[in-house]
Amino acid sequence: MEVKELGHIVLYVRNLERSVRFYRDVLGWRQILPDGDKGRDVLPVPVAAFAAPSGRTHHELLLIEVGEDAAGLPRGRRVGLYHFGLKVGDSDDELREAVRTLQEAGVPILGASDHTVTHSVYIADPDGNEIELYIDVPGVNWREDPTLIASPIKPLRL
């Protein structure tokens, strides 16, 4: 077997409507489900599916509502998902625009890093799932030298 690519991410969320507003209205994902009355009864729980505007695949993010009383993510060292990365462009100007959008929406920036191959800012969704928003740094050829991903992490100044 050979994995060809990362296909999609599925997240449990407390409040589907709140999470849809975040992923659709703040991050700009294209919502594909539910689409009007289509898809409302697909699963026995409320869900929403999204695809990136690139149309790379059928869906890249699925949200499943589990209710406001669901346990939160544990803090500190733990096993499981740390964060997932979303590419927002190929230039620092595009990353700056993303930061402006986040600030206008009141989304706190948790951190910013220069990883040599990427410039990244870190945020959390309404349920505390950490997200890295990044750009590939122009002129850095990580395809020819994959070890560049292990470069020392530096503070990012946009």
Side-chain angles (χ1 to χ4, degrees):
M1 174 176 60
E2 179 185 13
V3 174
K4 305 298 184 196
E5 63 185 29
L6 179 63
H8 59 272
I9 297 168
V10 178
L11 298 174
Y12 291 126
V13 299
R14 287 188 180 97
N15 180 298
L16 187 64
E17 186 177 315
R18 178 180 63 211
S19 293
V20 163
R21 283 193 308 270
F22 177 80
Y23 284 98
R24 183 192 60 212
D25 301 342
V26 177
L27 297 186
W29 286 74
R30 182 173 54 94
Q31 186 176 357
I32 57 174
L33 183 72
D35 178 16
D37 289 332
K38 265 170 62 177
R40 293 206 185 273
D41 297 318
V42 172
L43 294 173
V45 295
V47 300
F50 300 85
S54 68
R56 180 188 66 84
T57 188
H58 40 77
H59 78 288
E60 288 151 317
L61 177 65
L62 180 71
L63 305 177
I64 301 173
E65 185 176 79
V66 293
E68 294 290 348
D69 60 344
L73 295 171
R75 294 278 179 219
R77 290 173 47 97
R78 59 182 159 73
V79 172
L81 180 70
Y82 169 32
H83 70 262
F84 60 92
L86 301 174
K87 184 176 178 181
V88 297
D90 292 301
S91 72
D92 282 341
D93 286 340
E94 289 169 294
L95 191 56
R96 284 185 201 96
E97 182 58 35
V99 168
R100 276 191 290 279
T101 299
L102 296 168
Q103 289 170 335
E104 289 169 3
V107 177
I109 305 292
L110 304 177
S113 298
D114 176 345
H115 295 282
T116 301
V117 296
T118 64
H119 288 168
S120 307
V121 296
Y122 296 86
I123 62 172
D125 77 0
D127 291 291
N129 296 299
E130 192 167 319
I131 303 167
E132 174 185 3
L133 303 174
Y134 72 93
I135 59 103
D136 285 331
V137 176
V140 176
N141 195 339
W142 49 266
R143 284 186 172 91
E144 284 186 19
D145 185 1
T147 64
L148 287 172
I149 66 164
S151 297
I153 300 170
K154 302 172 289 264
L156 177 66
R157 288 172 186 68
L158 287 174

